[in-house]
Amino acid sequence: MRILSGIQPSGTLHLGNYFGMMQPAIALQEKGEAFYFIADYHSMTSLFNAEQRRKNTLDVALDFLACGLDPQKSVFFRQSDVPEVCELAWILSTLTPMSMLEKAHSFKDKSAKGIPINHGLFAYPVLMAADILIYDSNVVPVGQDQKQHVEMTRDIAIKFNEAYGETFIIPEPQIKGETAKVPGLDGEKMSKSYGNTLEIFGEEKSLRKKVMGIKMDSRTPEETKPDADQNLAIQLLKLVAPAATAADFENRLRAGGLGYGDLKKQLFASYWEHFAEARKKRAELAANLDYVNGVLADGANKARTLAQKVLKRARKASGLE
Ligand code: ADP
Ligand code: TRP
């Protein structure tokens, strides 16, 4: 089974990225042949600063390796180190109905917010389809918001296979149920575009300030809170604390007697502890960038060899060769 996923280097990674995508992807490296990449081509649709892209790409590499991506088990690479994916995207674009792209939430959401839409952003699902199909991927672990893109990939692959004969494997999305949508500090979906994120790695003081600044309602500590499971700090605590700790705090909040300040202090402590080991590993990696660049170069070699093989199959099937 080949597992594939990608993440854009368009900002600093947060708990939503971690629980929605990275952690499931890292767990899956035990279950099959995993291919994970940093989607730098995709980041070009919304980030127009070259230096920032370079920095973010390195940060994503460090974050992923620190969080447990094992280059002995997974092929880890930069999307643009395999330029073949752009040729496949062109081929697939000729089988992609405009009406399908017009339905994509990704560009519709941005358009609704008044963000100007470039062609790359509109055509983004086609490049994503190429990413997935060029590695003969079976399973694509992503957050809920990417499910539609994987469904489009399936539709495009089916169209290609119908037009030119069986060429592509039809991939399955894999959405991790209980953490499909990690809430942000304002209760909306955590997203860098909403400015409501809690970063995986960062400076202790400012992260503590963010956690202690989470808005709560005005009920007194003594009041019972039958809706304790809806409390944002409890929801986040369930992700980062041992189950028994989270259950204890939820029960105390429900019963009355636990103040929001103490709850948030616990949330910060558990969150800081949850990533303690990864933080240490990240510092070690940051001091050894030759190793990190070597991992990406090695991954690119392996990925490119496979991509060239699959692209050739598609070129032959469609009469380019
Ligand atoms: P952002 O919304 O911050 O821009 P991306 O769109 O770059 O994040 O998402 C990268 C990956 O992380 C995707 O697989 C996405 O589904 C996942 N992801 C992002 N935010 C969340 C969230 N709040 N909950 C669960 N998964 C998320
Ligand atoms: N579009 C994805 C995101 O924004 C990143 C991505 C690009 C991806 N290509 C992919 C994810 C292929 C899975 C498979 O999160």
Side-chain angles (χ1 to χ4, degrees):
M1 176 174 82
R2 185 161 300 127
I3 303 148
L4 171 127
S5 197
I7 190 151
Q8 292 194 55
S10 47
T12 307
L13 297 183
H14 53 72
L15 294 192
N17 300 138
Y18 180 75
F19 289 106
M21 186 270 178
M22 297 167 73
Q23 191 196 44
I26 289 165
L28 274 172
Q29 69 187 355
E30 313 295 336
K31 300 260 159 61
E33 197 187 353
F35 276 57
Y36 298 134
F37 65 92
I38 306 170
D40 55 352
Y41 279 143
H42 273 104
S43 74
M44 299 186 82
T45 61
S46 59
L47 175 67
F48 301 92
N49 180 319
E51 207 35 63
Q52 192 67 46
R53 188 171 353 273
R54 269 184 216 110
K55 180 182 181 302
N56 291 356
T57 301
L58 178 63
D59 278 340
V60 172
L62 291 171
D63 289 357
F64 243 110
L65 291 169
C67 287
L69 186 141
D70 180 351
Q72 303 294 330
K73 294 181 183 150
S74 304
V75 177
F76 186 41
F77 60 104
R78 205 183 279 123
Q79 182 184 30
S80 65
D81 281 340
V82 186
E84 284 77 5
V85 79
C86 292
E87 183 178 345
L88 184 61
W90 168 256
I91 295 174
L92 298 177
S93 78
T94 62
L95 292 154
T96 307
M98 283 294 282
S99 57
M100 183 196 281
L101 293 178
E102 279 159 1
K103 287 192 204 101
H105 302 305
S106 48
F107 111 84
K108 281 204 303 190
D109 290 353
K110 293 209 165 131
S111 178
K113 283 196 208 106
I115 299 170
I117 306 300
N118 55 60
H119 174 260
L121 191 64
F122 183 69
Y124 171 119
V126 184
L127 180 58
M128 183 154 161
D131 287 330
I132 296 172
L133 300 178
I134 207 164
Y135 302 110
D136 278 343
S137 314
N138 305 104
V139 176
V140 185
V142 281
Q144 181 69 36
D145 59 333
Q146 295 294 319
K147 189 165 173 248
Q148 189 193 31
H149 292 149
V150 183
E151 282 161 359
M152 289 181 175
T153 302
R154 291 167 58 90
D155 288 350
I156 297 170
I158 290 168
K159 277 188 199 298
F160 186 101
N161 288 351
E162 278 172 5
Y164 298 121
E166 285 303 312
T167 304
F168 293 120
I169 292 177
I170 312 299
E172 299 283 343
Q174 192 174 93
I175 316 288
K176 195 169 175 235
E178 68 276 21
T179 53
K181 200 169 175 183
V182 175
L185 298 179
D186 56 358
E188 296 299 315
K189 183 200 145 180
M190 188 177 288
S191 170
K192 60 184 164 295
S193 25
Y194 304 154
N196 62 358
T197 59
L198 201 50
E199 288 72 34
I200 309 173
F201 300 107
E203 205 262 311
E204 181 169 6
K205 223 170 145 186
S206 69
L207 290 173
R208 176 181 287 119
K209 207 169 150 200
K210 274 193 173 190
V211 170
M212 295 312 291
I214 296 176
K215 286 224 164 27
M216 297 274 150
D217 58 48
S218 56
R219 286 178 288 181
T220 63
E222 292 68 36
E223 277 180 73
T224 59
K225 305 192 177 59
D227 54 353
D229 59 326
Q230 302 298 315
N231 181 281
L232 177 61
I234 292 289
Q235 287 177 22
L236 293 172
L237 193 62
K238 283 181 182 166
L239 293 172
V240 293
T245 308
D248 176 46
F249 273 78
E250 184 177 344
N251 289 336
R252 285 167 56 197
L253 189 68
R254 187 174 293 110
L258 171 67
Y260 288 138
D262 288 337
L263 172 58
K264 288 191 273 188
K265 266 191 202 145
Q266 181 61 43
L267 172 59
F268 180 77
S270 295
Y271 151 64
W272 199 250
E273 173 59 28
H274 189 88
F275 293 104
E277 208 179 302
R279 200 173 299 119
K280 200 166 141 246
K281 177 115 187 270
R282 196 182 190 286
E284 287 164 17
L285 290 161
N288 192 1
L289 293 185
D290 286 350
Y291 167 78
V292 175
N293 288 321
V295 165
L296 291 177
D298 189 42
N301 267 332
K302 289 185 186 140
R304 199 163 185 198
T305 304
L306 176 59
Q308 284 170 341
K309 197 177 100 195
V310 179
L311 178 63
K312 193 160 184 66
R313 201 198 298 148
R315 286 176 56 99
K316 280 191 172 155
S318 58
L320 292 172
E321 289 186 23

Short mmCIF file of all heavy atoms in Angstrom, two decimals, residues 230-282:
data_model
loop_
_atom_site.label_atom_id
_atom_site.label_comp_id
_atom_site.label_asym_id
_atom_site.label_seq_id
_atom_site.Cartn_x
_atom_site.Cartn_y
_atom_site.Cartn_z
N GLN A 230 -18.20 20.97 25.67
CA GLN A 230 -18.15 21.95 24.56
C GLN A 230 -17.07 23.01 24.80
O GLN A 230 -16.78 23.80 23.91
CB GLN A 230 -19.49 22.70 24.44
CG GLN A 230 -20.70 21.81 24.21
CD GLN A 230 -20.58 21.04 22.91
OE1 GLN A 230 -20.20 21.61 21.89
NE2 GLN A 230 -20.84 19.73 22.94
N ASN A 231 -16.53 23.05 26.00
CA ASN A 231 -15.54 24.09 26.34
C ASN A 231 -14.28 23.93 25.47
O ASN A 231 -13.73 22.84 25.34
CB ASN A 231 -15.20 23.96 27.83
CG ASN A 231 -14.20 25.01 28.26
OD1 ASN A 231 -13.00 24.86 28.00
ND2 ASN A 231 -14.67 26.06 28.87
N LEU A 232 -13.85 25.05 24.91
CA LEU A 232 -12.73 25.01 23.97
C LEU A 232 -11.45 24.47 24.62
O LEU A 232 -10.73 23.66 24.03
CB LEU A 232 -12.51 26.42 23.41
CG LEU A 232 -11.34 26.60 22.46
CD1 LEU A 232 -11.51 25.74 21.23
CD2 LEU A 232 -11.21 28.06 22.07
N ALA A 233 -11.16 24.93 25.84
CA ALA A 233 -9.93 24.47 26.51
C ALA A 233 -10.00 22.97 26.79
O ALA A 233 -8.99 22.26 26.67
CB ALA A 233 -9.71 25.26 27.80
N ILE A 234 -11.19 22.48 27.11
CA ILE A 234 -11.34 21.03 27.34
C ILE A 234 -11.11 20.27 26.03
O ILE A 234 -10.42 19.26 26.00
CB ILE A 234 -12.76 20.70 27.90
CG1 ILE A 234 -12.90 21.25 29.33
CG2 ILE A 234 -13.06 19.21 27.85
CD1 ILE A 234 -12.10 20.53 30.39
N GLN A 235 -11.66 20.80 24.95
CA GLN A 235 -11.47 20.12 23.66
C GLN A 235 -9.99 20.04 23.29
O GLN A 235 -9.51 19.02 22.81
CB GLN A 235 -12.25 20.85 22.56
CG GLN A 235 -13.75 20.62 22.69
CD GLN A 235 -14.54 21.40 21.63
OE1 GLN A 235 -14.00 21.77 20.59
NE2 GLN A 235 -15.80 21.64 21.91
N LEU A 236 -9.27 21.13 23.52
CA LEU A 236 -7.84 21.13 23.20
C LEU A 236 -7.06 20.26 24.18
O LEU A 236 -6.13 19.56 23.80
CB LEU A 236 -7.29 22.57 23.19
CG LEU A 236 -7.83 23.47 22.06
CD1 LEU A 236 -7.39 24.91 22.25
CD2 LEU A 236 -7.37 22.97 20.69
N LEU A 237 -7.49 20.29 25.44
CA LEU A 237 -6.82 19.47 26.46
C LEU A 237 -6.91 17.99 26.09
O LEU A 237 -5.95 17.23 26.27
CB LEU A 237 -7.46 19.73 27.83
CG LEU A 237 -6.71 19.21 29.05
CD1 LEU A 237 -5.35 19.88 29.19
CD2 LEU A 237 -7.52 19.43 30.34
N LYS A 238 -8.05 17.59 25.54
CA LYS A 238 -8.23 16.18 25.16
C LYS A 238 -7.21 15.75 24.10
O LYS A 238 -6.87 14.59 24.01
CB LYS A 238 -9.64 15.94 24.62
CG LYS A 238 -10.69 15.87 25.73
CD LYS A 238 -12.07 15.62 25.15
CE LYS A 238 -13.08 15.61 26.30
NZ LYS A 238 -14.46 15.70 25.81
N LEU A 239 -6.73 16.72 23.32
CA LEU A 239 -5.75 16.38 22.29
C LEU A 239 -4.35 16.25 22.87
O LEU A 239 -3.57 15.41 22.42
CB LEU A 239 -5.74 17.46 21.20
CG LEU A 239 -7.00 17.58 20.35
CD1 LEU A 239 -6.91 18.82 19.46
CD2 LEU A 239 -7.19 16.34 19.48
N VAL A 240 -4.02 17.10 23.85
CA VAL A 240 -2.61 17.18 24.27
C VAL A 240 -2.32 16.53 25.63
O VAL A 240 -1.15 16.31 25.95
CB VAL A 240 -2.10 18.64 24.30
CG1 VAL A 240 -2.05 19.22 22.89
CG2 VAL A 240 -2.94 19.51 25.20
N ALA A 241 -3.36 16.23 26.43
CA ALA A 241 -3.11 15.67 27.77
C ALA A 241 -3.42 14.18 27.79
O ALA A 241 -4.19 13.70 26.95
CB ALA A 241 -4.00 16.40 28.78
N PRO A 242 -2.86 13.45 28.76
CA PRO A 242 -3.28 12.06 28.93
C PRO A 242 -4.79 12.01 29.17
O PRO A 242 -5.35 12.94 29.77
CB PRO A 242 -2.53 11.61 30.19
CG PRO A 242 -1.39 12.57 30.35
CD PRO A 242 -1.85 13.87 29.74
N ALA A 243 -5.46 10.94 28.68
CA ALA A 243 -6.93 10.86 28.73
C ALA A 243 -7.45 11.07 30.16
O ALA A 243 -8.46 11.76 30.36
CB ALA A 243 -7.39 9.52 28.18
N ALA A 244 -6.75 10.53 31.16
CA ALA A 244 -7.23 10.62 32.54
C ALA A 244 -7.22 12.07 33.02
O ALA A 244 -8.15 12.52 33.70
CB ALA A 244 -6.38 9.75 33.45
N THR A 245 -6.18 12.81 32.66
CA THR A 245 -6.09 14.22 33.05
C THR A 245 -7.23 15.02 32.42
O THR A 245 -7.91 15.82 33.09
CB THR A 245 -4.74 14.82 32.59
OG1 THR A 245 -3.69 13.98 33.05
CG2 THR A 245 -4.54 16.23 33.08
N ALA A 246 -7.45 14.81 31.12
CA ALA A 246 -8.50 15.55 30.43
C ALA A 246 -9.86 15.22 31.03
O ALA A 246 -10.69 16.13 31.25
CB ALA A 246 -8.47 15.22 28.93
N ALA A 247 -10.10 13.95 31.34
CA ALA A 247 -11.39 13.54 31.91
C ALA A 247 -11.58 14.17 33.28
O ALA A 247 -12.67 14.66 33.62
CB ALA A 247 -11.46 12.01 32.00
N ASP A 248 -10.52 14.20 34.08
CA ASP A 248 -10.58 14.79 35.42
C ASP A 248 -10.96 16.28 35.33
O ASP A 248 -11.85 16.75 36.03
CB ASP A 248 -9.21 14.59 36.09
CG ASP A 248 -9.16 15.26 37.45
OD1 ASP A 248 -10.12 15.08 38.22
OD2 ASP A 248 -8.15 15.96 37.74
N PHE A 249 -10.30 17.01 34.44
CA PHE A 249 -10.60 18.44 34.32
C PHE A 249 -12.01 18.66 33.77
O PHE A 249 -12.71 19.58 34.21
CB PHE A 249 -9.52 19.14 33.48
CG PHE A 249 -8.36 19.59 34.33
CD1 PHE A 249 -7.39 18.69 34.74
CD2 PHE A 249 -8.26 20.91 34.76
CE1 PHE A 249 -6.34 19.09 35.55
CE2 PHE A 249 -7.21 21.32 35.57
CZ PHE A 249 -6.25 20.40 35.97
N GLU A 250 -12.42 17.83 32.86
CA GLU A 250 -13.78 17.97 32.32
C GLU A 250 -14.81 17.74 33.44
O GLU A 250 -15.77 18.52 33.57
CB GLU A 250 -14.00 16.97 31.18
CG GLU A 250 -15.36 17.13 30.52
CD GLU A 250 -15.59 16.20 29.33
OE1 GLU A 250 -14.60 15.62 28.81
OE2 GLU A 250 -16.75 16.05 28.94
N ASN A 251 -14.59 16.73 34.26
CA ASN A 251 -15.52 16.43 35.35
C ASN A 251 -15.55 17.57 36.37
O ASN A 251 -16.62 17.97 36.84
CB ASN A 251 -15.13 15.13 36.06
CG ASN A 251 -15.42 13.93 35.16
OD1 ASN A 251 -16.26 14.01 34.27
ND2 ASN A 251 -14.70 12.83 35.37
N ARG A 252 -14.36 18.10 36.67
CA ARG A 252 -14.32 19.20 37.65
C ARG A 252 -15.00 20.46 37.11
O ARG A 252 -15.65 21.19 37.85
CB ARG A 252 -12.87 19.50 38.04
CG ARG A 252 -12.32 18.42 38.99
CD ARG A 252 -10.82 18.51 39.15
NE ARG A 252 -10.37 19.80 39.60
CZ ARG A 252 -9.10 20.23 39.52
NH1 ARG A 252 -8.18 19.44 38.97
NH2 ARG A 252 -8.76 21.40 39.96
N LEU A 253 -14.85 20.68 35.82
CA LEU A 253 -15.51 21.86 35.23
C LEU A 253 -17.02 21.67 35.27
O LEU A 253 -17.77 22.59 35.62
CB LEU A 253 -15.03 22.05 33.78
CG LEU A 253 -15.47 23.35 33.11
CD1 LEU A 253 -14.80 24.55 33.76
CD2 LEU A 253 -15.14 23.34 31.62
N ARG A 254 -17.47 20.47 34.93
CA ARG A 254 -18.90 20.18 34.91
C ARG A 254 -19.51 20.36 36.31
O ARG A 254 -20.56 20.98 36.47
CB ARG A 254 -19.14 18.76 34.40
CG ARG A 254 -20.62 18.45 34.19
CD ARG A 254 -20.89 17.10 33.55
NE ARG A 254 -20.43 17.06 32.17
CZ ARG A 254 -19.39 16.35 31.74
NH1 ARG A 254 -18.70 15.60 32.58
NH2 ARG A 254 -19.03 16.39 30.48
N ALA A 255 -18.80 19.82 37.31
CA ALA A 255 -19.33 19.81 38.68
C ALA A 255 -19.31 21.20 39.33
O ALA A 255 -20.02 21.44 40.31
CB ALA A 255 -18.51 18.83 39.52
N GLY A 256 -18.51 22.12 38.81
CA GLY A 256 -18.35 23.43 39.44
C GLY A 256 -17.18 23.41 40.39
O GLY A 256 -16.84 22.36 40.97
N GLY A 257 -16.49 24.55 40.51
CA GLY A 257 -15.35 24.63 41.42
C GLY A 257 -14.03 24.82 40.70
O GLY A 257 -13.05 25.22 41.33
N LEU A 258 -14.01 24.56 39.41
CA LEU A 258 -12.76 24.77 38.66
C LEU A 258 -12.85 26.09 37.90
O LEU A 258 -13.78 26.30 37.11
CB LEU A 258 -12.54 23.61 37.67
CG LEU A 258 -11.39 23.77 36.67
CD1 LEU A 258 -10.03 23.74 37.39
CD2 LEU A 258 -11.42 22.67 35.61
N GLY A 259 -11.90 26.98 38.13
CA GLY A 259 -11.90 28.27 37.44
C GLY A 259 -11.28 28.14 36.05
O GLY A 259 -10.44 27.27 35.81
N TYR A 260 -11.69 29.04 35.15
CA TYR A 260 -11.15 28.97 33.78
C TYR A 260 -9.65 29.21 33.75
O TYR A 260 -8.93 28.65 32.93
CB TYR A 260 -11.87 29.99 32.89
CG TYR A 260 -13.31 29.61 32.57
CD1 TYR A 260 -14.32 30.57 32.59
CD2 TYR A 260 -13.65 28.31 32.24
CE1 TYR A 260 -15.64 30.24 32.28
CE2 TYR A 260 -14.96 27.96 31.93
CZ TYR A 260 -15.95 28.93 31.96
OH TYR A 260 -17.23 28.60 31.65
N GLY A 261 -9.14 30.06 34.65
CA GLY A 261 -7.70 30.34 34.68
C GLY A 261 -6.91 29.07 34.96
O GLY A 261 -5.92 28.78 34.29
N ASP A 262 -7.37 28.29 35.95
CA ASP A 262 -6.67 27.04 36.28
C ASP A 262 -6.77 26.05 35.14
O ASP A 262 -5.82 25.31 34.86
CB ASP A 262 -7.25 26.43 37.57
CG ASP A 262 -6.85 27.24 38.79
OD1 ASP A 262 -5.81 27.96 38.70
OD2 ASP A 262 -7.57 27.18 39.81
N LEU A 263 -7.90 26.03 34.49
CA LEU A 263 -8.07 25.13 33.34
C LEU A 263 -7.07 25.49 32.23
O LEU A 263 -6.40 24.64 31.66
CB LEU A 263 -9.51 25.22 32.82
CG LEU A 263 -9.82 24.50 31.50
CD1 LEU A 263 -9.50 23.01 31.60
CD2 LEU A 263 -11.29 24.70 31.11
N LYS A 264 -6.95 26.79 31.97
CA LYS A 264 -6.04 27.22 30.90
C LYS A 264 -4.57 26.98 31.27
O LYS A 264 -3.76 26.63 30.42
CB LYS A 264 -6.30 28.70 30.55
CG LYS A 264 -7.62 28.89 29.81
CD LYS A 264 -7.79 30.26 29.24
CE LYS A 264 -8.40 31.21 30.23
NZ LYS A 264 -8.76 32.52 29.61
N LYS A 265 -4.27 27.13 32.56
CA LYS A 265 -2.89 26.82 33.01
C LYS A 265 -2.57 25.37 32.73
O LYS A 265 -1.48 25.03 32.27
CB LYS A 265 -2.77 27.07 34.52
CG LYS A 265 -2.27 28.45 34.84
CD LYS A 265 -1.90 28.54 36.33
CE LYS A 265 -1.93 30.00 36.74
NZ LYS A 265 -2.39 30.21 38.10
N GLN A 266 -3.53 24.49 33.03
CA GLN A 266 -3.31 23.06 32.78
C GLN A 266 -3.17 22.81 31.27
O GLN A 266 -2.33 22.02 30.85
CB GLN A 266 -4.49 22.24 33.33
CG GLN A 266 -4.33 20.74 33.12
CD GLN A 266 -3.09 20.19 33.83
OE1 GLN A 266 -2.81 20.54 34.97
NE2 GLN A 266 -2.33 19.34 33.13
N LEU A 267 -4.00 23.49 30.50
CA LEU A 267 -3.93 23.30 29.04
C LEU A 267 -2.53 23.67 28.55
O LEU A 267 -1.91 22.92 27.79
CB LEU A 267 -4.99 24.16 28.34
CG LEU A 267 -4.89 24.19 26.81
CD1 LEU A 267 -5.00 22.79 26.21
CD2 LEU A 267 -5.96 25.12 26.21
N PHE A 268 -2.01 24.81 29.02
CA PHE A 268 -0.69 25.20 28.55
C PHE A 268 0.36 24.17 28.98
O PHE A 268 1.21 23.76 28.18
CB PHE A 268 -0.28 26.60 29.04
CG PHE A 268 1.09 26.94 28.54
CD1 PHE A 268 1.27 27.33 27.22
CD2 PHE A 268 2.21 26.79 29.35
CE1 PHE A 268 2.54 27.58 26.71
CE2 PHE A 268 3.49 27.03 28.85
CZ PHE A 268 3.65 27.44 27.53
N ALA A 269 0.30 23.74 30.25
CA ALA A 269 1.29 22.79 30.76
C ALA A 269 1.26 21.49 29.95
O ALA A 269 2.31 20.96 29.57
CB ALA A 269 1.04 22.50 32.25
N SER A 270 0.07 20.99 29.66
CA SER A 270 -0.05 19.72 28.93
C SER A 270 0.44 19.86 27.50
O SER A 270 1.09 18.98 26.94
CB SER A 270 -1.50 19.24 28.91
OG SER A 270 -1.93 18.95 30.21
N TYR A 271 0.11 20.99 26.90
CA TYR A 271 0.52 21.26 25.52
C TYR A 271 2.05 21.36 25.44
O TYR A 271 2.70 20.76 24.57
CB TYR A 271 -0.20 22.54 25.09
CG TYR A 271 0.45 23.42 24.06
CD1 TYR A 271 0.67 22.98 22.76
CD2 TYR A 271 0.79 24.73 24.37
CE1 TYR A 271 1.24 23.82 21.82
CE2 TYR A 271 1.34 25.57 23.44
CZ TYR A 271 1.57 25.12 22.16
OH TYR A 271 2.13 25.95 21.24
N TRP A 272 2.63 22.06 26.41
CA TRP A 272 4.09 22.24 26.39
C TRP A 272 4.78 20.89 26.58
O TRP A 272 5.76 20.58 25.90
CB TRP A 272 4.49 23.24 27.49
CG TRP A 272 5.85 23.82 27.25
CD1 TRP A 272 6.98 23.57 27.97
CD2 TRP A 272 6.23 24.70 26.18
NE1 TRP A 272 8.04 24.23 27.42
CE2 TRP A 272 7.61 24.94 26.32
CE3 TRP A 272 5.53 25.30 25.14
CZ2 TRP A 272 8.31 25.76 25.44
CZ3 TRP A 272 6.24 26.12 24.25
CH2 TRP A 272 7.61 26.34 24.41
N GLU A 273 4.23 20.08 27.46
CA GLU A 273 4.79 18.77 27.75
C GLU A 273 4.63 17.82 26.55
O GLU A 273 5.54 17.05 26.21
CB GLU A 273 4.08 18.20 29.00
CG GLU A 273 4.40 16.76 29.36
CD GLU A 273 5.89 16.53 29.61
OE1 GLU A 273 6.56 17.49 30.01
OE2 GLU A 273 6.35 15.39 29.37
N HIS A 274 3.47 17.92 25.89
CA HIS A 274 3.18 17.02 24.77
C HIS A 274 4.27 17.09 23.69
O HIS A 274 4.61 16.09 23.08
CB HIS A 274 1.82 17.40 24.17
CG HIS A 274 1.31 16.41 23.15
ND1 HIS A 274 0.56 15.31 23.49
CD2 HIS A 274 1.49 16.34 21.81
CE1 HIS A 274 0.29 14.63 22.40
NE2 HIS A 274 0.83 15.23 21.36
N PHE A 275 4.78 18.30 23.46
CA PHE A 275 5.76 18.47 22.39
C PHE A 275 7.20 18.62 22.92
O PHE A 275 8.09 19.00 22.15
CB PHE A 275 5.39 19.68 21.52
CG PHE A 275 4.12 19.47 20.75
CD1 PHE A 275 2.93 20.06 21.14
CD2 PHE A 275 4.10 18.63 19.64
CE1 PHE A 275 1.75 19.84 20.45
CE2 PHE A 275 2.92 18.39 18.94
CZ PHE A 275 1.74 19.00 19.35
N ALA A 276 7.42 18.30 24.20
CA ALA A 276 8.75 18.52 24.80
C ALA A 276 9.85 17.75 24.05
O ALA A 276 10.89 18.31 23.70
CB ALA A 276 8.73 18.14 26.27
N GLU A 277 9.57 16.50 23.79
CA GLU A 277 10.59 15.67 23.15
C GLU A 277 10.85 16.15 21.71
O GLU A 277 12.00 16.24 21.27
CB GLU A 277 10.09 14.22 23.13
CG GLU A 277 11.19 13.20 23.13
CD GLU A 277 10.58 11.81 23.12
OE1 GLU A 277 9.80 11.51 24.06
OE2 GLU A 277 10.85 11.06 22.17
N ALA A 278 9.76 16.44 21.00
CA ALA A 278 9.88 16.92 19.62
C ALA A 278 10.65 18.25 19.58
O ALA A 278 11.44 18.50 18.67
CB ALA A 278 8.50 17.09 19.01
N ARG A 279 10.44 19.09 20.59
CA ARG A 279 11.12 20.38 20.65
C ARG A 279 12.63 20.18 20.74
O ARG A 279 13.42 20.87 20.10
CB ARG A 279 10.59 21.15 21.86
CG ARG A 279 10.80 22.63 21.82
CD ARG A 279 10.09 23.32 22.98
NE ARG A 279 8.65 23.13 22.95
CZ ARG A 279 7.95 22.53 23.89
NH1 ARG A 279 8.53 22.07 24.99
NH2 ARG A 279 6.66 22.39 23.76
N LYS A 280 13.01 19.20 21.54
CA LYS A 280 14.43 18.90 21.72
C LYS A 280 15.03 18.38 20.41
O LYS A 280 16.08 18.81 19.96
CB LYS A 280 14.57 17.83 22.83
CG LYS A 280 15.91 17.75 23.45
CD LYS A 280 15.88 16.93 24.74
CE LYS A 280 17.12 16.09 24.80
NZ LYS A 280 16.90 14.66 24.72
N LYS A 281 14.29 17.48 19.79
CA LYS A 281 14.74 16.91 18.53
C LYS A 281 14.87 18.00 17.46
O LYS A 281 15.82 18.02 16.67
CB LYS A 281 13.71 15.84 18.11
CG LYS A 281 13.94 15.17 16.80
CD LYS A 281 14.23 13.68 16.99
CE LYS A 281 14.63 13.01 15.69
NZ LYS A 281 13.47 12.48 14.98
N ARG A 282 13.93 18.94 17.47
CA ARG A 282 13.94 19.99 16.46
C ARG A 282 15.19 20.85 16.60
O ARG A 282 15.83 21.22 15.60
CB ARG A 282 12.68 20.87 16.57
CG ARG A 282 12.47 21.72 15.32
CD ARG A 282 11.26 22.61 15.49
NE ARG A 282 10.88 23.27 14.24
CZ ARG A 282 11.54 24.28 13.68
NH1 ARG A 282 12.62 24.75 14.24
NH2 ARG A 282 11.11 24.81 12.55
#
